[in-house]
Amino acid sequence: MRDSTGIITARLLAEKDNPVADVIWGTAASSLLVLDEEGMLEPYSPAGVERILPQFKSDKSTPTWVGNNAWETVFVVNTVEIEKLGLNASDIRGYQDLLRPELSGQIVMPNPASSGTGLLTVTALLQLNGRETEAGWDYLSALHENVQQYTHSGSRPARMAGAGECAIGVSFGFTAIGQKNQGAPVEIVFPAEGSGWDLEANALMKKDNINPAAKTFLDWAITDEAMQLYAQYYPIVTNGNVSTYDGFPNLDPVEQLIENDLVWIAANRESILDRWTVMFDGKSEER
């Protein structure tokens, strides 16, 4: 099945005592760490796993998950809509710029409980502001004043910005670039403080009678052939190759990524989402 990260994660957790899936492909590594803590993943070393950079795979001797590619937070700024507010796209450079009073009701971002992009953005803000302090939550509260809606898809804010339904969509690079390449009047901003990020990763579910084809698939999923396919959509693939974003020849996506503690995210995911939901879920779109 195909669905947003949070929905997939919730379903797998609900099926813990009677797992249905054999293999997970392209689900957030932060979610797979949650499943790993629950003892739900079967260790497996796919062929060629030694080519994958250490930060992009499980640190266990026999990996329980292996990454394919990384995706990151970007702002999609509709140049027409933002000029109506007396601003220019060049005025939006980092997270603090999203708090400008002119942007009241003009920002759409993903709900972290249902969107991996939402979760990586929220956890990046908590880490950048000092995760042991309240500063990150204070920032999210201030940002909430300017949010029009929290969507259940990480790509939807980019499409909404492209269509002029909001001035700024908080999304991820691939979808943002797609909007621009399709002719939408948007500029793409990689936040100056650094982008939150996560990995699309693979794993084998721990269950009786695993289909042998699952292991064959996981072997293929990190081949050079597969990496070339991922690189058509995501510039950072986990064997260390970095593609150049169309239109961003001077941007090194690896340099753009924050120092990200995926283990901390996994350990605190439930409490972060519970608190976020109590504070901000009133602006979420209906499912």
Side-chain angles (χ1 to χ4, degrees), residues 120-275:
L120 66 86
T121 299
V122 166
T123 54
L125 289 164
L126 295 176
Q127 291 179 85
L128 286 168
N129 285 283
R131 64 195 191 197
E132 304 306 324
T133 74
E134 285 294 300
W137 291 103
D138 291 343
Y139 172 87
L140 290 169
S141 294
L143 177 63
H144 182 71
E145 298 301 312
N146 284 352
V147 169
Q148 175 195 123
Q149 186 180 62
Y150 299 104
T151 64
H152 294 299
S153 159
S155 59
R156 182 161 162 73
R159 295 196 298 269
M160 290 178 70
E165 297 176 48
C166 61
I168 299 176
V170 179
S171 189
F172 59 97
F174 165 59
T175 300
I177 290 165
Q179 289 296 304
K180 187 169 185 176
N181 290 344
Q182 291 166 27
V186 297
E187 292 296 333
I188 303 165
V189 177
F190 291 80
E193 303 91 336
S195 294
W197 60 277
D198 205 336
L199 296 167
E200 289 196 330
N202 315 319
L204 198 63
M205 291 297 292
K206 182 170 287 186
K207 58 181 290 191
D208 295 332
N209 302 317
I210 296 171
N211 188 329
K215 295 181 178 180
T216 302
F217 179 82
L218 290 178
D219 290 346
W220 172 84
I222 61 167
T223 59
D224 288 341
E225 176 191 7
M227 292 290 166
Q228 289 168 6
L229 293 171
Y230 303 143
Q232 294 178 28
Y233 304 98
Y234 296 90
I236 305 170
V237 292
T238 55
N239 64 0
N241 292 337
V242 177
S243 305
T244 300
Y245 277 112
D246 254 356
F248 294 90
N250 298 319
L251 177 73
D252 181 346
V254 172
E255 292 296 320
Q256 177 61 28
L257 305 181
I258 69 165
E259 291 187 18
N260 202 19
D261 190 339
L262 292 173
V263 174
W264 175 82
I265 294 172
N268 292 278
R269 179 179 180 274
E270 185 174 353
S271 61
I272 290 169
L273 294 180
D274 286 346
R275 183 171 180 180

